Amino acid sequence: MKAIIFDMDGVLVDAMPFHYQAMKSAVKEITSIDLDKRTFYLLEGMPVEELALEIFKLKGYLVNDSSKKDNISNQKSEEVAKRKKEIFREMNIIPKPYDGVRELISNDLRGCLKAVVSGAAKQEVDAIIERNFGKDNFDLIMNGDEFEGKGKPDPAPFKVALQKLNLDNNEALVVENAPLGIKSANDAGIQSIVTLNTSPLALDDFKDLISEDRIFKDTKSAGRFLKK
């Protein structure tokens, strides 16, 4: 194994509770839908507008006139995405790394290439990585702005990462926290593991995507596997 490719939010840093709260507030303001935590975590990794559309579908947020449905849904999803980003920005937080992650990145994995592939905006990714780890600790950092809306479960981000690292898909391992991230890695032909950390998801939520022995309770325990 020559490289480890990390998702950022929910894997390296404890950002997901803040993203959930921002999305929950935005969805509530614009549609009156009460977004539950499990639904949000199951869909995590999608571009925000697509995420909003999927929430509308799951929660039955449709208008009676089907000819207007798509236009209204798209308009509302754009409003939700804009508002979610505003709320998250207003929180003005830099999420902290999970226990043991800084040591894992800085010292324990020196013998291999390390990459971050995140769906978050460039400014957000750069600030979080630099503040918590230092950009120099990673050989590649990719953000959601680079993919023109092609977020997970699309395999494109991971495929591009491999190209930039000049590696074959059997030479890397992806560390993810969400089912859509694992599907993205699977479709890119890359091995993966799951770190749950503070996620409300359970083993069954990853059924048919990855074997149970590759699901870890947190990044620290996954680190022991990675070092081996």
Side-chain angles (χ1 to χ4, degrees), residues 85-146:
K85 291 171 184 176
E86 289 174 350
I87 294 170
F88 188 80
R89 189 165 53 246
E90 289 163 3
M91 289 179 174
N92 194 30
I93 51 97
I94 297 289
K96 295 181 179 179
Y98 292 109
D99 184 34
V101 173
R102 188 177 282 119
E103 179 71 13
L104 179 69
I105 297 300
S106 300
N107 298 315
D108 296 339
L109 299 178
R110 288 181 177 177
C112 69
L113 299 171
K114 297 184 291 294
V116 172
V117 175
S118 172
K122 182 181 189 305
Q123 183 178 1
E124 182 183 331
V125 173
D126 287 350
I128 290 173
I129 294 299
E130 181 58 39
R131 180 77 65 88
N132 287 308
F133 309 104
K135 294 179 185 177
D136 291 344
N137 276 303
F138 292 94
D139 301 279
L140 175 67
I141 300 172
M142 296 175 59
N143 60 75
D145 294 346
E146 299 179 49

Side-chain angles (χ1 to χ4, degrees), residues 6-45:
F6 294 92
D7 183 21
M8 184 179 73
D9 296 331
V11 172
L12 297 177
V13 298
D14 191 12
M16 291 307 297
F18 303 105
H19 283 292
Y20 167 62
Q21 191 55 54
M23 191 69 178
K24 179 180 174 68
S25 297
V27 169
K28 183 70 173 179
E29 280 183 27
I30 293 165
T31 69
S32 298
I33 293 172
D34 284 316
L35 176 61
D36 61 284
K37 186 180 289 187
R38 186 171 180 277
T39 295
F40 177 74
Y41 277 76
L42 282 171
L43 300 176
E44 192 255 318

Side-chain angles (χ1 to χ4, degrees), residues 116-226:
V116 172
V117 175
S118 172
K122 182 181 189 305
Q123 183 178 1
E124 182 183 331
V125 173
D126 287 350
I128 290 173
I129 294 299
E130 181 58 39
R131 180 77 65 88
N132 287 308
F133 309 104
K135 294 179 185 177
D136 291 344
N137 276 303
F138 292 94
D139 301 279
L140 175 67
I141 300 172
M142 296 175 59
N143 60 75
D145 294 346
E146 299 179 49
F147 296 107
E148 300 179 353
K150 286 188 177 181
K152 299 159 189 174
D154 194 306
F158 290 133
K159 288 184 175 180
V160 173
L162 287 179
Q163 291 171 1
K164 291 188 175 185
L165 292 168
N166 196 28
L167 296 175
D168 293 329
N169 55 7
N170 62 354
E171 295 178 310
L173 178 77
V174 166
V175 185
E176 264 287 350
N177 68 309
L180 293 185
I182 296 300
K183 186 178 188 311
S184 177
N186 288 349
D187 290 348
I190 310 173
Q191 295 184 61
S192 60
I193 63 172
V194 174
T195 62
L196 292 173
N197 290 307
T198 55
S199 172
L201 301 184
L203 297 180
D204 281 351
D205 293 312
F206 295 88
K207 188 177 180 181
D208 300 326
L209 290 172
I210 193 170
S211 61
E212 289 188 10
D213 62 346
R214 285 188 163 241
I215 302 176
F216 298 86
K217 67 176 182 178
D218 52 35
T219 307
K220 186 175 184 178
S221 58
R224 291 191 283 271
F225 171 84
L226 294 174

